Amino acid sequence: MKLKIFGKLADIFHGNEYDLDSENVKSVSELKVKLFEKFPELKESTFLIIVNGVKANDSKIISISSEIALLPPYSGG
Amino acid sequence: MKLKIFGKLADIFHGNEYDLDSENVKSVSELKVKLFEKFPELKESTFLIIVNGVKANDSKIISISSEIALLPPYSGG
Amino acid sequence: MKKIKDIFIEGPINPIFVAESITKHTVKTTIGGHSIFLGQIREDMIDKKKVQAIHFTAYKEMALEKAHEIREEIIAKYGLTCAHIYHSLGEIKVGEICLFVFTSAAHRKEAINACNEMVDRIKKEVPLWGKEILEDNSHTWKENKQ
Amino acid sequence: MKKIKDIFIEGPINPIFVAESITKHTVKTTIGGHSIFLGQIREDMIDKKKVQAIHFTAYKEMALEKAHEIREEIIAKYGLTCAHIYHSLGEIKVGEICLFVFTSAAHRKEAINACNEMVDRIKKEVPLWGKEILEDNSHTWKENKQ
């Protein structure tokens, strides 16, 4: 499962993409569990999870074909 | 007594300068009397009288050496 | 003695002049935001005739004094890094620029609010007049809303 | 199908590009006022180190969608003749321009208020991030006030 990583989260993931082992990841809540396990610092971060261009809540079903992105607060301009 | 004339008032005075016979004109109120006599249309106009760069009220004393200007409402920009 | 800046430009304001003004601010490293207002001549209809141009005149000495005062007051009020006012004199055709107001500050809100207030005050307080030249060469006198 | 305009410019926004954008509006004879906001990189001090540049990245597809939505909504809300948004990507140095917002309307208030609101919404709603490069080549992440 490929994740796009933006902003300061790239410092945690050491890059703008991350390929997550997607076993047992069928929802956003399961994704979060796995991410927090791998990157405990993420628990201290504020971020949105975007699935196929739309902000997703925990119950959102995801699959290996979903486009998933992790967005910290915006700081353009 | 030379007057500077601006904006739409120039249509009444037919120009941007007017040389007024200054006999009996020692104050702004006397100036107005004389102007209204010569240009009755002025009574229908809104304008400020500026003497030496400052807005003058009726009691303001003026002389032949005063710089006098007639300003209708501004319309810059 | 205070130094009074000229604000008048004979003819329309060239967009290249706007670009040059922006470029001059590159060296001012405390600036975070610029706000610019440009007044453009609109093809209004007056008595079924199209406005072709506006011919601007000013009571120059007084206008420069007043523009200076507005500029100083607004720089102080909003803590601006820079503020500039330029107004055209003479005939400015439809589609051309006749007013250029430019404010710069560390943060955007100050620049934007200052620019807005500066434009308002210029329209109300600076002795300038616009004569609207219609397509049949007759004219009317522009009036700003109070 | 809606046409999504690109808003991204690689590197800084050139003042000449601003001038060209202004010039393009000469033919739009219903315009009476343009409002422009420019964001410039400020030499902030962070932990006693000077900011040298900000490196911008975006979640492009989503940013373009969002910018399109903001633009459409603000054009409708204020009855604008035109509205344009440009944002830099990549490294923008202190003193350079990274954001250019341009609104045009028949009357000044609409242009100015629309520009102001557009800048606010871009900062809050468009997925863009600024990485502040400090003088020792360390970095921090820019945070917009909410």
Side-chain angles (χ1 to χ4, degrees):
Chain A
M1 183 171 274
K2 284 201 194 322
L3 309 178
K4 296 188 177 201
I5 312 295
F6 290 97
K8 72 196 303 177
L9 300 181
D11 288 353
I12 297 175
F13 284 85
H14 299 289
N16 288 105
E17 285 187 356
Y18 187 78
D19 202 351
L20 186 76
D21 164 23
S22 59
E23 204 181 329
N24 298 323
V25 178
K26 292 185 179 61
S27 69
V28 166
S29 61
E30 287 167 1
L31 172 67
K32 279 186 180 170
V33 168
K34 200 138 201 174
L35 288 173
F36 289 155
E37 201 181 288
K38 291 209 169 265
F39 301 101
E41 307 140 85
L42 264 188
K43 288 180 204 162
E44 317 301 316
S45 305
T46 306
F47 63 94
L48 290 178
I49 296 180
I50 304 291
V51 177
N52 300 327
V54 179
K55 185 185 157 183
N57 54 27
D58 285 359
S59 60
K60 175 78 185 173
I61 301 299
I62 52 176
S63 76
I64 195 136
S65 66
S66 306
E67 180 172 311
I68 299 168
L70 272 53
L71 315 189
Y74 309 155
S75 56
Chain B
M1 183 170 274
K2 285 202 194 321
L3 309 178
K4 296 188 177 200
I5 312 296
F6 291 97
K8 73 196 304 178
L9 300 181
D11 288 354
I12 297 175
F13 285 84
H14 300 288
N16 289 103
E17 284 187 356
Y18 188 78
D19 202 351
L20 186 77
D21 164 23
S22 59
E23 204 182 329
N24 299 324
V25 177
K26 292 185 180 62
S27 69
V28 166
S29 62
E30 286 166 3
L31 172 67
K32 279 185 180 169
V33 168
K34 200 138 201 172
L35 287 173
F36 289 154
E37 201 181 286
K38 290 209 169 266
F39 301 102
E41 308 139 85
L42 265 188
K43 288 179 204 161
E44 316 301 318
S45 304
T46 306
F47 62 94
L48 291 178
I49 297 180
I50 304 292
V51 177
N52 300 327
V54 178
K55 186 186 156 182
N57 55 26
D58 285 359
S59 60
K60 175 77 186 175
I61 301 300
I62 53 176
S63 76
I64 195 136
S65 66
S66 306
E67 181 172 311
I68 299 169
L70 272 52
L71 314 189
Y74 309 154
S75 57
Chain C
M1 212 185 95
K2 66 183 171 182
K3 191 182 140 224
I4 301 269
K5 274 183 70 168
D6 196 4
I7 66 163
F8 293 116
I9 290 179
E10 275 299 325
I13 292 162
N14 192 324
I16 293 298
F17 178 75
V18 176
E20 287 167 355
S21 300
I22 297 166
T23 301
K24 279 185 192 156
H25 293 77
T26 302
V27 294
K28 303 212 172 175
T29 57
T30 60
I31 293 174
H34 303 286
S35 184
I36 291 174
F37 177 80
L38 301 171
Q40 180 166 308
I41 307 297
R42 200 173 50 232
E43 192 178 64
D44 277 342
M45 289 293 274
I46 295 176
D47 297 335
K48 295 179 184 163
K49 294 171 212 160
K50 282 182 191 167
V51 170
Q52 280 194 322
I54 298 183
H55 187 277
F56 287 100
T57 48
Y59 185 10
K60 276 196 180 180
E61 305 87 324
M62 193 179 157
L64 293 177
E65 286 269 356
K66 198 71 205 173
H68 177 83
E69 180 188 315
I70 292 171
R71 189 169 164 267
E72 297 281 300
E73 284 176 15
I74 288 187
I75 287 175
K77 178 172 175 183
Y78 292 97
L80 301 181
T81 314
C82 281
H84 306 280
I85 302 170
Y86 300 98
H87 199 293
S88 291
L89 291 181
E91 191 167 312
I92 315 302
K93 295 193 180 65
V94 162
E96 292 181 331
I97 308 286
C98 61
L99 173 62
F100 170 26
V101 176
F102 187 8
T103 55
S104 310
H107 299 279
R108 74 183 186 285
K109 287 290 168 207
E110 287 72 18
I112 290 173
N113 293 338
C115 187
N116 191 11
E117 187 171 328
M118 194 120 88
V119 174
D120 272 351
R121 291 194 59 183
I122 291 164
K123 297 214 175 209
K124 279 190 199 133
E125 300 175 32
V126 180
L128 280 155
W129 297 272
K131 184 183 185 175
E132 295 166 311
I133 314 295
L134 308 181
E135 52 188 339
D136 62 353
N137 279 315
S138 65
H139 71 263
T140 61
W141 289 88
K142 181 169 179 279
E143 286 182 12
N144 287 349
K145 285 178 222 149
Q146 287 307 302
Chain D
M1 212 185 98
K2 64 184 173 181
K3 193 183 139 224
I4 302 268
K5 276 184 70 168
D6 195 5
I7 67 163
F8 293 116
I9 291 180
E10 276 299 324
I13 293 162
N14 192 324
I16 293 297
F17 178 74
V18 177
E20 287 166 355
S21 301
I22 297 166
T23 301
K24 279 185 193 156
H25 292 77
T26 302
V27 294
K28 304 212 173 177
T29 58
T30 60
I31 293 175
H34 303 286
S35 183
I36 292 175
F37 178 80
L38 302 171
Q40 179 167 308
I41 307 298
R42 200 172 50 231
E43 192 179 63
D44 276 344
M45 288 294 272
I46 296 175
D47 297 336
K48 295 179 183 164
K49 293 172 213 159
K50 282 183 192 166
V51 170
Q52 279 194 323
I54 297 183
H55 186 278
F56 287 101
T57 49
Y59 185 9
K60 276 196 180 180
E61 305 86 322
M62 193 180 159
L64 293 178
E65 286 269 355
K66 198 70 206 173
H68 177 84
E69 179 189 315
I70 292 170
R71 189 169 166 267
E72 297 282 301
E73 284 176 14
I74 288 187
I75 287 174
K77 178 172 176 183
Y78 292 96
L80 301 181
T81 314
C82 281
H84 306 281
I85 302 170
Y86 300 99
H87 200 293
S88 291
L89 292 181
E91 191 168 313
I92 315 304
K93 295 192 180 65
V94 162
E96 292 181 331
I97 309 286
C98 61
L99 174 62
F100 171 25
V101 176
F102 187 6
T103 55
S104 309
H107 299 280
R108 73 183 187 285
K109 287 290 168 207
E110 287 73 19
I112 291 173
N113 293 338
C115 187
N116 191 9
E117 188 171 327
M118 194 121 87
V119 174
D120 273 351
R121 290 194 60 184
I122 291 165
K123 297 214 176 208
K124 278 188 200 136
E125 299 175 33
V126 181
L128 280 156
W129 297 272
K131 183 184 184 174
E132 294 166 312
I133 314 295
L134 308 181
E135 53 189 338
D136 62 352
N137 279 315
S138 65
H139 71 263
T140 60
W141 289 88
K142 183 170 178 280
E143 286 181 13
N144 287 349
K145 285 177 221 152
Q146 286 307 301

